[in-house]
Amino acid sequence: KKKILISTVIACYNDAQAIPVMYARLLKTFKKIKCKYEIIFVNDGSPDNTTEVLEKICSEDKNVKAIIHSRNFSSQNAFTSGMIKSSGDAVVLMDGDLQDPPELIIDFYSEWKKGNDVVYGIRHNREASRILNFFYRLFYRIFNKISYVNIPLDAGDFSLMDRQVVDAINSIPETERFIRGLRAWVGFSQIGVPYKRPERMFGKSTNNFRRNINWAKKGIFSFSFVPLEIISYLSYVVVLFSFIAISFYTFYYFYSQTAPQGWTTITLLILFLGGIQLLSLSFISEYIGKILDETKKRPKYIIKRTINLKK
């Protein structure tokens, strides 16, 4: 009987200290599962000594492979790079900072063996401030409501996907990738496994308020048309208010025989309409920006070199 091969794709950025710990914990996990393993570390332009650490591990274990990108192309493209090179019957996606506990793969594997094509981690709790937790939870719930596909609540990229699902995602030519959204879009049977997401074991997170906002915009403008619908609703509101204002001024003129005086009303109307127009343009520009990126047809990433991988 052919032994099952599990590929693990790990997106790394400034994770040199975490990689040996990740590798050791993964070995223990695969030993418990009793399966063959393939570990693919993707160094996405790390400025630290990640490449040297990977070279050492890869020289000691041929089942460990590395992809070195020419610069930082984002975690989504790092995952894509590893998924395309992977050869396992199932593929696990993980961040390299150890906030995705390798031991949870055992539960993922169990659910996959039951017939689920996708098993994703649900962050029912994370070691972060209450304010940050609140905004994370708020975003996922808003995103779930406005998306045209069913995006699981509090689910990140950490997941195990059947080879059929991985091949389906790899076949999507989209340049601006949002893996957890694409994972939901392709369908198949999916189930979540709750876990507590710990803080980074080493170093500091590269995420900040601006990055989180950009991340939220990326998801919303990739999988929702609601911002465009808002523009339509705002136009209806403006037309309604305009009709009411015209009716009011007409009524006032005929009964008082004088036009309303003052510039305050005109100023407020100009500011109101100007604000609506700018908001509408900002929504439209986000979609136009995405269209521009897709039409350029640039590669999603550039591989500088690989270790233990065939060209």
Side-chain angles (χ1 to χ4, degrees), residues 54-275:
L54 291 176
E55 286 175 337
K56 183 176 185 300
I57 295 175
C58 289
S59 66
E60 297 170 353
D61 187 346
K62 297 303 178 184
N63 293 318
V64 180
K65 300 160 186 183
I67 299 172
I68 316 299
H69 283 177
S70 61
R71 66 168 177 82
N72 181 263
F73 287 93
S74 84
S75 63
Q76 302 303 285
N77 288 323
F79 285 134
T80 300
S81 179
M83 288 164 64
I84 289 173
K85 292 289 186 181
S86 68
S87 56
D89 301 295
V91 178
V92 176
L93 301 185
M94 303 179 67
D95 287 326
D97 55 13
L98 289 171
Q99 288 188 283
D100 298 331
E103 294 75 18
L104 197 66
I105 295 174
I106 298 172
D107 295 329
F108 287 179
Y109 181 82
S110 176
E111 292 294 340
W112 176 60
K113 292 294 288 181
K114 291 177 184 177
N116 295 292
D117 299 305
V118 176
V119 188
Y120 52 84
I122 301 174
R123 303 162 180 171
H124 71 86
N125 191 11
R126 66 170 77 212
E127 292 183 1
S129 66
R130 288 185 178 181
I131 294 175
L132 195 60
N133 270 318
F134 170 77
F135 281 111
Y136 275 125
R137 291 176 63 83
L138 179 64
F139 164 71
Y140 278 111
R141 276 141 191 82
I142 293 174
F143 188 31
N144 178 268
K145 291 293 184 184
I146 68 177
S147 174
Y148 55 72
V149 292
N150 184 25
I151 306 291
L153 294 175
D154 305 315
D157 296 315
F158 187 27
S159 60
L160 180 148
M161 296 179 286
D162 186 83
R163 168 51 56 184
Q164 192 177 7
V165 179
V166 174
D167 289 342
I169 293 176
N170 287 344
S171 70
I172 298 172
E174 210 164 301
T175 301
E176 186 73 9
R177 300 174 79 79
F178 190 67
I179 299 292
R180 66 195 71 172
L182 295 176
R183 186 180 66 203
W185 183 86
V186 297
F188 298 94
S189 59
Q190 306 198 11
I191 192 171
V193 174
Y195 74 103
K196 182 178 181 180
R197 195 166 197 254
E199 291 182 346
R200 288 177 65 100
M201 186 174 290
F202 304 100
K204 294 182 179 180
S205 175
T206 55
N207 275 342
N208 52 40
F209 181 76
R210 181 172 171 271
R211 283 177 179 268
N212 284 328
I213 291 295
N214 287 337
W215 188 254
K217 284 164 55 180
K218 183 175 186 176
I220 290 171
F221 288 107
S222 293
F223 289 93
S224 176
F225 295 121
V226 168
L228 291 176
E229 293 172 4
I230 289 174
I231 295 174
S232 297
Y233 297 141
L234 286 173
S235 67
Y236 301 151
V237 171
V238 170
V239 169
L240 177 62
F241 273 107
S242 299
F243 178 77
I244 294 172
I246 291 170
S247 300
F248 170 77
Y249 278 95
T250 302
F251 178 83
Y252 186 90
Y253 178 77
F254 279 109
Y255 276 85
S256 67
Q257 299 298 313
T258 58
Q261 302 295 312
W263 53 269
T264 305
T265 303
I266 295 174
T267 302
L268 290 175
L269 284 173
I270 290 172
L271 290 174
F272 175 69
L273 292 174

Side-chain angles (χ1 to χ4, degrees), residues 288-302:
I288 291 175
K290 287 194 170 293
I291 294 170
L292 180 62
D293 271 341
E294 297 299 327
T295 55
K296 287 176 182 176
K297 300 297 181 185
R298 290 176 182 169
K300 302 175 184 68
Y301 52 84
I302 296 174

